[in-house]
Amino acid sequence: MKAVTWQGKRDVRVDDVPDPKIQEPTDAVIRITSTGLCGSDLHLYEVLTPFMTPGDILGHEPMGIVEEVGPEVPNLKPGDRVVVPFQISCGHCFMCSAGLQTQCETTQVTSEGMGAALFGYTRLYGAVPGAQAEYLRVPQAHYGPIKVPQGPADDRFVYLSDVLPTAWQAVAYADVPRGGTVAVLGLGPIGDMACRIAKARGAERVFGVDLVPERLARARRRGVETYDLREFDHEKELVAAIHDETGGRGPDAVIDAVGTEAHGSHVARLVQQTASAMPRALSGPLAERFSVDRLSALHMAIDLVRRGGTLSLSGVYGGSADPMPMLTLFDKQLQIRMGQANVRHWTDEILPYLTDEDPLGVDDFATHRVPLADAPHAYEMFQRKQDGAIKVLMTP
């Protein structure tokens, strides 16, 4: 089959690889009909290269048709249409029962000290072959795949794999009171969808911050009060502008949908680039022990949120030596919630929104649809924010 493989920093290719097969009784194999390109895929493209191996199959946002199931997958049959969550979880361990599927005790990558295995996402998360491919082996298929009806286009449901639950969890963790205010930093796919969900769940005012014109315009069309970083000489001016709109206090919650690749610290960027350029035997240990994130978005969130408010982090951070402003966090009495989205915990709440009325705008959420063969160009376009690329779907 054809699959998108990682070959090095900023080097992805579409290669012929072996077809997946049933390996465990709880496996399924699906034929992928749509698969997304995610902002966190760009971390593999650029930042997390020390944890990658040439030939790794990328991708974690698939949906498709069941081709084959193992003997211990009673709830699926060939021909079923399914969306596959980006994390692999069993559904019956302590963590899954607690709604923390990203901490699944059955699939935890204990050799790396990490949580549940993820599709297409480095050796830290199990190096499981990913979903930017023609076919996908799905472990724990008795629990993970979400059956969806035939009929509507894939766009209606494909975002259940990642975008929708990640944005939904970001808003839920932000704990915005009904009639309250929330600021969203970063208006890529997750930030954009978080704005839509916050409004649907009763936030009175949603502020969106970015510096890409197409993203700002898109959010503004859906009623978000947008702020262009480029129009302020200093981030503190932007913070002051939003404070002025919220009685001088700041919003009740701030969602950081940017993560480690924020524009900011040149020192942190140098450390990231140094690690990615070193031999693999050295770069992995260096990144694990001494890596630092570019924290400008997080520091802005801390300054922006009102005292006693909540920070919700959905942007990926991977540093282990990050300096944090503990005095400010403590003095402002802030709550912080974060983590990979627990997909199956939220899907029952999200599904009622995926109707023909389309209140979240999923049917036209993708800005680009390309064949799998164009994946290298899609990665470059998305990473460079060219051609208005905000969300890319690929079709095998």
Side-chain angles (χ1 to χ4, degrees), residues 363-380:
D363 285 349
D364 60 358
F365 191 71
T367 55
H368 292 71
R369 296 171 180 82
V370 301
L372 192 70
D374 288 350
H377 170 67
Y379 267 83
E380 181 179 13

Side-chain angles (χ1 to χ4, degrees), residues 31 49 59 75-76 102 131 140 156 181 191 209 219 244 270 289 308 327 334 362:
R31 175 176 55 83
T49 57
N75 53 319
L76 293 180
T102 55
Q140 305 297 323
R156 179 74 56 86
T181 55
V209 179
D244 287 345
L270 178 62
R289 295 183 59 192
L327 172 63
L334 301 182
V362 295

Side-chain angles (χ1 to χ4, degrees), residues 168 171-172 175-182 193-206 252 353 360:
W168 192 277
V171 175
D175 197 24
V176 185
R178 180 165 287 275
T181 55
V182 59
M193 185 57 73
C195 289
R196 302 179 187 203
I197 291 168
K199 291 181 72 68
R201 290 181 52 143
E204 181 177 347
R205 300 181 73 181
V206 178
D252 297 308
Y353 288 81
L360 299 179

